[in-house]
Structure formats: structure tokens, C-alpha cells
Amino acid sequence: GAVVSQHPSRVICKSGTSVKIECRSLDFQATTMFWYRQFPKQSLMLMATSNEGSKATYEQGVEKDKFLINHASLTLSTLTVTSAHPEDSSFYICSAIRTSLNEQFFGPGTRLTVL
Amino acid sequence: AQTVTQSQPEMSVQEAETVTLSCTYDTSESDYYLFWYKQPPSRQMILVIRQEAYKQQNATENRFSVNFQKAAKSFSLKISDSQLGDAAMYFCAYRSTGNQFYFGTGTSLTVIP
């Protein structure tokens, strides 16, 4: 099946620093990728839709200046958490739509801890 | 925005028995997809089954089947012959025409040996 990878799988950073998370579709091209946030024992919350070659679309309540998304190629989307604070600590999951299969494939997630 | 509701935070089932997980959703769209995903402790989301709204026939994948009631906006998952490996969080999800996915709050399934 299709594979989506995320890097890093875990990251710990100091408050005030920025962290970049990469999401790659390994064996297919994805014009659309999604970024989710998941708090412990809670559901996935859609943060934004990442479109290759254009600006991301953010869900209501998500600060676009804090969560910068860049979809520079058909296989890579990045999420940068800027000026991270402890409340940004969470599990971040990306997904990619494989158009030919009309199916969404999820990455394994990135656990961010902000000290 | 679409909302997805899972009213059962936790469910348990005896091994080899059958369990049904409930899901309801709210939408004004007529064409959409519904999904059940499984999230084991590894946190990797795994597709269990999906249903196209325009299809009246309920989807089936081996031991997993759904009861899709479009008018009632209900989409329940039935797991037959439950196995220990079925223990996980199960999320119901709605995919809009814009390809955005919206997830329910999840049901934690425990399988009792």
C-alpha cells in the first residue's frame, strides 16, 4: 500500500524556538496533504489543508502565522511550529490523498514536546 | 462544518463475539464518504472500511461491516468474531466534497480474552 512518512518521529525543543516537521508521500504524488493535531486520548483535529503550489487553507481557530505550512513539491509538505510554547506540545499527524485510489494515507505522526 | 459524533467513549467485547460501534454525523452535503479508522497504541491510523454515500449497499471487509443509514445520518461499525488484535481506538470519519476529513471523538475498544 501507499506509504506516508514523517520526520522526525519525536522532537523536544525549548520554548520560543521553531520546529519543522516533514511529511512525505514515498510512492505516489500528492497534490493535497493534511495536517492534524491530536491531544492525548482525543480525536484528530484538522489543522489545515496543504495544496501543492499554493497557500494552505487553515481551519477556523488555527493560527496560520504560528503553524506555517509549505507544500513545495508533489511529495513533500512541511509544518513549522514557530515560537513554540508548551501548549503546542501535541501529536501531529499528516496525511496525503492518493487520487488514483481516492484514499487518504496517514503518516506515523510526530510527537512534539516543548519545554 | 460537518460534525461527527461517537457516543461510546469505551466499549468491550469478549473474544470471538460481535460488537457494534456507533457513529452519527451532520451534513448538508449529498455526496460524501464515510470511514472507520483504527488507531492502535502505535498511533498509526489504519483504514478499516469506507462507504460512499451514494451507494445504498453497506460496505463489508472480511469481519468488518457497516450499517449505513443515510436518512438517519448514522454509520455504525460491526466487528464480528472479535480478535485480540482488534483492540484499539476506533474513529469514525467524514470526508467532505472538498476532501477535508472530520473525525469523531473515538471509541476505545477492549477485547477480553
Side-chain angles (χ1 to χ4, degrees):
Chain A
V3 177
V4 175
S5 70
Q6 277 184 246
H7 177 80
S9 58
R10 291 174 180 266
V11 58
I12 301 173
C13 69
K14 293 182 178 180
S15 185
T17 61
S18 295
V19 174
K20 180 184 286 188
I21 303 170
E22 293 184 347
C23 177
R24 293 182 184 272
S25 56
L26 297 184
D27 56 355
F28 66 98
Q29 294 182 331
T31 55
T32 302
M33 293 183 174
F34 300 96
W35 287 96
Y36 298 88
R37 185 173 181 177
Q38 186 179 30
F39 291 103
K41 298 186 178 181
Q42 293 190 25
S43 185
L44 280 72
M45 182 192 76
L46 178 64
M47 297 176 66
T49 303
S50 172
N51 300 297
E52 189 270 335
S54 64
K55 291 183 179 180
T57 303
Y58 291 82
E59 294 296 299
Q60 191 173 7
V62 178
E63 299 176 60
K64 62 180 181 181
D65 294 331
K66 179 164 189 62
F67 299 100
L68 300 179
I69 292 172
N70 184 22
H71 195 152
S73 76
L74 288 172
T75 59
L76 174 65
S77 175
T78 60
L79 169 69
T80 301
V81 182
T82 63
S83 187
H85 290 281
E87 56 265 31
D88 298 325
S89 299
S90 189
F91 193 67
Y92 292 88
I93 302 174
C94 74
S95 71
I97 296 286
R98 184 165 189 172
T99 308
S100 61
L101 298 179
N102 197 23
E103 193 170 320
Q104 175 180 221
F105 295 91
F106 286 87
T110 296
R111 177 168 300 287
L112 169 64
T113 302
V114 184
L115 302 177
Chain B
Q2 286 73 21
T3 57
V4 179
T5 301
Q6 292 178 249
S7 59
Q8 307 154 316
E10 297 179 344
M11 290 285 284
S12 61
V13 61
Q14 205 76 31
E15 192 175 5
E17 296 295 311
T18 295
V19 66
T20 299
L21 308 184
S22 301
C23 173
T24 58
Y25 59 95
D26 187 26
T27 184
S28 58
E29 297 177 333
S30 58
D31 190 20
Y32 49 87
Y33 289 81
L34 296 166
F35 302 80
W36 278 97
Y37 284 92
K38 170 184 177 181
Q39 188 180 43
S42 68
R43 308 290 293 270
Q44 176 72 56
M45 296 289 284
I46 301 167
L47 176 65
V48 174
I49 197 166
R50 76 177 195 178
Q51 174 82 42
E52 291 92 335
Y54 64 87
K55 289 187 177 179
Q56 292 187 339
Q57 186 174 7
N58 290 324
T60 299
E61 285 288 343
N62 301 314
R63 298 183 294 106
F64 299 88
S65 62
V66 299
N67 183 5
F68 173 48
Q69 302 290 328
K70 190 173 183 178
K73 296 180 181 174
S74 170
F75 182 61
S76 61
L77 174 69
K78 185 172 81 171
I79 306 175
S80 304
D81 185 25
S82 296
Q83 300 175 1
L84 295 178
D86 294 334
M89 281 291 290
Y90 285 82
F91 291 100
C92 177
Y94 173 102
R95 190 179 107 184
S96 71
T97 52
N99 274 333
Q100 289 100 339
F101 280 74
Y102 299 94
F103 289 82
T105 49
T107 297
S108 177
L109 179 65
T110 300
V111 181
I112 304 167

